[in-house]
């Protein structure tokens, strides 16, 4: 039996976990492993005020391994478990902390020698779309009450066979399903409808575009500041239907097969193939198709309109992947090796603006309204339906020299992407530029790294 307790504390919160595991030899050939993990998360802002806390989130785990023939020649195995991720500290910094994010408008009459504007005439006071004026946040309003963590369930089953001294092979099936996620919710309309239905006057001078952390697709209870007085908050219960969202969806299904030649007769090699499918309406706590790396505060769940057409192949879906690697011992002191990758390209999407200017939400290139000759002619273009990027095919080679006279010393040369084939890895999926089609739409953002080399020297010594 194993048990482990760990805790991590930083400037913006605390994470702790307790893990208990036990291995049970049910029979001579069947090993069962049972485990459970309890995790707690606490997030604090820059004033050390706790605004989000989750206690004792239970994550069970189970694994089984069966030595079918009793001689280690055939193993059948399976696992099942629940896995969560903590609340990111990024929310503590900007979402819950005192932040300033303003814009101010001027006219100008010219520029100086350094390109700075001259003859400024102020047109507005500092403005913030997100009410970020550096003020203290009303902490109780920042997150829904009694939230669940972001977690997914995973199931695997497979086998490995030692067919002969020169050949092993096996296969594994994997299925993962997202059960709960966390992001921010910026739509004030459900709160305004609640206020109207309950005869609540909205007198908060900062009422407008504020965002709350919540569990998308689930019922949530919020503390709402309708008055601008932090001591007079209103508890508002909103069903998933009230919020306008369906369930968060992300599934990953994969089948892996491999064949392996163990180190024998001077060489080792392994060939692997993976078929997989990754689909749903959310990548997770980041959004790569529009470049949003703000963890758990992406545009994904800000408004229901943004989720129309969002269900499809996710940006990191790679349907087919072939990997091979190995090495050959030329002489006892010299080995040469190779790595091969063949991977089908990522799915293409079109990320546009709302159907027409003034539609709610009036986000720029965050929706799946796309494809029209002008913004007003955009239509829903579901995620991942515009084909795929090219296959990524790469070959890496290496040679290593281990001189017998200096045991532990290794000189190694690696050459990456030997063929120098540079394939498009990402493209600009933002469709609109104002009211017109962007000239950068579907142009490359990144390519496979060009051919490069690395020479390294290492020394291993056992004391």
């Amino acid at each position: 039996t194993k048990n482990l307790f760990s805790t991590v504390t930083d400037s913006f919160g605390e994470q702790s976990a307790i893990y208990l595991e036990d291995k049970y030899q049910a029979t001579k050939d069947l090993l069962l492993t049972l485990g459970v993990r309890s995790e707690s998360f606490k997030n604090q802002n820059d004033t050390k005020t706790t605004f989000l806390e989750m206690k004792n989130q239970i994550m069970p785990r189970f694994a089984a391994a069966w030595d079918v023939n009793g001689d280690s020649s055939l193993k059948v195995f399976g696992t099942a478990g629940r896995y969560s991720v903590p609340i990111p500290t990024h929310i503590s910094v900007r979402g819950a902390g005192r932040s300033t994010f303003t814009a101010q408008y001027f006219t100008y009459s010219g520029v100086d020698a350094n390109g700075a504007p001259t003859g400024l005439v102020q047109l507005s006071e500092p403005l913030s779309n997100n009410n970020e004026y550096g003020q203290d946040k009303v902490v109780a309003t920042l997150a829904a009450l009694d939230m669940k963590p972001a977690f997914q369930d995973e199931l695997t089953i497979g086998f490995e066979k030692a067919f002969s001294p020169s050949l092993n092979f096996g296969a594994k099936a994997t299925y993962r399903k997202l059960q709960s996620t966390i992001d921010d919710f910026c739509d004030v309309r459900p709160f305004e409808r609640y206020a109207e239905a309950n005869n609540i006057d909205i007198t908060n001078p900062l009422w407008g575009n504020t965002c709350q952390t919540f569990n998308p697709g689930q019922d949530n209870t919020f503390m709402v500041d309708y008055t601008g007085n932090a001591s007079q908050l209103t508890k508002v219960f909103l069903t998933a239907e009230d919020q306008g969202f369906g369930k968060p969806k992300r599934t990953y299904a994969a089948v892996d097969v491999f064949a392996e030649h163990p180190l024998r007769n001077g060489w080792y090699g392994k060939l692997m193939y993976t078929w997989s499918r990754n689909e749903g309406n959310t990548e997770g706590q980041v959004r790569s198709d529009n470049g949003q790396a703000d963890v758990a505060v992406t545009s994904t769940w800000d408004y229901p309109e943004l989720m129309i057409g969002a269900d499809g192949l996710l940006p990191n879906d790679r349907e087919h992947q072939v990997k091979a690697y190995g090495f050959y011992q030329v002489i006892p002191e010299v080995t040469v090796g190779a790595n091969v990758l063949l991977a089908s390209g990522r799915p293409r999407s079109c990320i546009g603006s709302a159907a027409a200017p003034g539609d709610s939400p009036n986000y720029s290139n965050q929706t799946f309204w796309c494809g029209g000759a002008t913004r007003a002619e955009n239509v829903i273009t579901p995620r991942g339906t515009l084909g795929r990027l090219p296959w990524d095919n790469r070959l890496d080679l290496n040679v290593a020299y281990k001189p017998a006279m200096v045991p532990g010393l290794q000189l190694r040369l690696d050459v990456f992407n030997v063929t120098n084939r540079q394939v498009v890895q990402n493209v600009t999926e933002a469709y609109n530029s104002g009211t017109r089609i962007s000239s950068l739409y579907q142009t490359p953002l990144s390519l496979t790294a060009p051919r490069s080399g690395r020479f390294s020297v290492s020394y291993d010594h056992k004391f």
Side-chain angles (χ1 to χ4, degrees):
T1 300
K2 294 182 180 180
N3 59 75
L4 175 68
F5 173 77
S6 65
T7 182
V8 178
T9 303
D10 59 26
S11 301
F12 296 101
E14 181 179 294
Q15 303 172 18
S16 61
I18 301 173
Y19 186 67
L20 179 67
E21 178 185 287
D22 186 50
K23 295 181 182 295
Y24 174 59
Q25 195 76 44
T27 70
K28 180 178 69 72
D29 302 321
L30 178 62
L31 176 64
L32 304 179
T33 304
L34 296 93
V36 63
R37 184 179 180 92
S38 175
E39 298 180 328
S40 298
F41 310 127
K42 179 190 291 185
N43 287 69
Q44 299 174 325
N45 65 6
D46 56 343
T47 64
K48 295 298 182 181
T49 302
T50 299
F51 69 94
L52 183 58
E53 186 171 11
M54 298 182 183
K55 297 181 179 180
N56 301 320
Q57 307 297 319
I58 304 301
M59 305 290 157
R61 316 279 170 82
F62 172 76
W66 177 31
D67 183 359
V68 178
N69 299 322
D71 59 0
S72 301
S73 64
L74 175 60
K75 180 177 76 172
V76 175
F77 61 90
T79 67
R82 175 163 289 182
Y83 303 87
S84 68
V85 294
I87 305 296
T89 56
H90 175 86
I91 296 177
S92 304
V93 177
R94 184 175 177 189
R98 291 167 293 189
S99 58
T100 302
F101 190 69
T102 61
Q104 194 169 4
Y105 296 91
F106 299 82
T107 61
Y108 65 99
S109 58
V111 294
D112 62 19
N114 297 317
T118 60
L120 294 174
V121 177
Q122 180 177 322
L123 297 179
S124 74
E125 297 297 324
L127 304 171
S128 174
N129 289 335
N130 294 310
N131 289 328
E132 295 179 82
Y133 294 102
Q135 76 277 17
D136 285 328
K137 303 291 178 64
V138 182
V139 172
T141 67
L142 299 178
L145 305 179
D146 302 322
M147 288 204 313
K148 296 179 181 179
F151 68 91
Q152 68 181 15
D153 292 333
E154 178 179 305
L155 178 68
T156 67
I157 187 170
F159 77 93
E160 295 179 4
K161 170 66 176 177
F163 183 76
S164 72
S166 299
L167 176 62
N168 302 327
F169 61 84
K172 179 179 71 172
T174 303
Y175 183 76
R176 300 176 186 142
K177 183 177 182 180
L178 179 70
Q179 301 291 1
S180 175
T181 191
I182 293 174
D183 214 291
D184 65 333
F185 174 51
C186 302
D187 191 358
V188 299
R189 293 172 295 179
F191 300 107
E192 292 173 344
R193 289 192 291 267
Y194 182 92
E196 182 179 1
N198 291 274
N199 300 315
I200 299 172
D201 292 329
I202 302 176
T203 58
N204 186 345
L206 293 178
W207 184 261
N209 188 10
T210 56
C211 302
Q212 300 81 26
T213 301
F214 81 130
N215 288 136
Q218 300 180 27
D219 299 344
N220 287 272
T221 300
F222 303 89
M223 300 303 294
V224 181
D225 185 3
Y226 284 117
T227 66
N229 185 341
S231 64
Q232 296 180 1
L233 303 180
T234 303
K235 183 180 288 189
V236 175
F237 173 77
L238 297 178
T239 66
E241 184 179 2
D242 292 334
Q243 299 159 56
F245 296 114
K247 292 286 186 181
K249 293 188 288 184
R250 186 181 71 237
T251 59
Y252 173 79
V255 176
D256 299 275
V257 297
F258 78 89
E260 179 184 40
H261 182 281
L263 180 56
R264 184 180 175 84
N265 299 325
W267 70 281
Y268 170 86
K270 189 170 186 178
L271 174 66
M272 297 171 289
Y273 167 74
T274 300
W275 172 91
S276 64
R277 188 173 182 86
N278 191 20
E279 58 186 344
N281 58 15
T282 178
E283 286 185 80
Q285 294 183 338
V286 295
R287 184 175 178 182
S288 65
D289 54 11
N290 66 357
Q292 282 190 300
D294 289 350
V295 181
V297 287
T298 69
S299 64
T300 304
W301 300 97
D302 285 3
Y303 294 87
E305 290 88 344
L306 301 181
M307 301 306 294
I308 301 174
D311 194 359
L313 293 175
L314 292 170
N316 60 349
D317 177 71
R318 299 272 190 176
E319 186 174 7
H320 304 286
Q321 292 188 72
V322 177
K323 297 178 182 179
Y325 59 89
F327 61 87
Y328 176 71
Q329 195 169 28
V330 181
I331 59 176
E333 296 178 318
V334 177
T335 59
V336 294
N339 292 273
V340 174
L341 169 67
L342 309 174
S344 55
R346 291 158 51 108
R348 294 176 182 258
S349 293
C350 184
I351 311 298
S353 302
D359 285 0
S360 184
N362 191 17
Y363 273 29
S364 175
N365 295 311
Q366 306 290 330
T367 81
F368 293 92
W369 286 96
C370 208
T374 65
R375 179 174 171 181
E377 297 174 359
N378 283 346
V379 296
I380 289 296
T381 307
R383 183 198 296 271
T385 57
L386 299 182
R388 290 184 178 270
L389 294 173
W391 277 66
D392 185 5
N393 302 331
R394 275 180 269 175
L395 170 65
D396 304 331
L397 297 175
N398 63 77
V399 57
Y401 172 56
K402 297 180 179 180
M405 65 181 65
V406 188
L409 177 65
Q410 176 178 266
L411 308 179
R412 178 176 170 126
L413 174 65
D414 289 272
V415 180
F416 304 101
N417 192 10
V418 173
T419 63
N420 202 32
R421 186 172 186 266
Q422 297 179 57
V423 177
V424 175
Q425 296 290 310
N426 297 280
V427 295
T428 301
E429 297 185 342
Y431 185 75
N432 295 108
S433 177
T435 60
R436 294 181 172 85
I437 301 172
S438 170
S439 60
L440 297 177
Y441 174 62
Q442 293 295 333
T443 58
L445 278 175
S446 65
L447 302 174
T448 309
R451 182 192 300 119
S452 62
R454 181 181 67 198
F455 177 72
S456 59
V457 179
S458 63
Y459 180 73
D460 297 324
H461 179 70
K462 294 182 180 181
F463 294 94

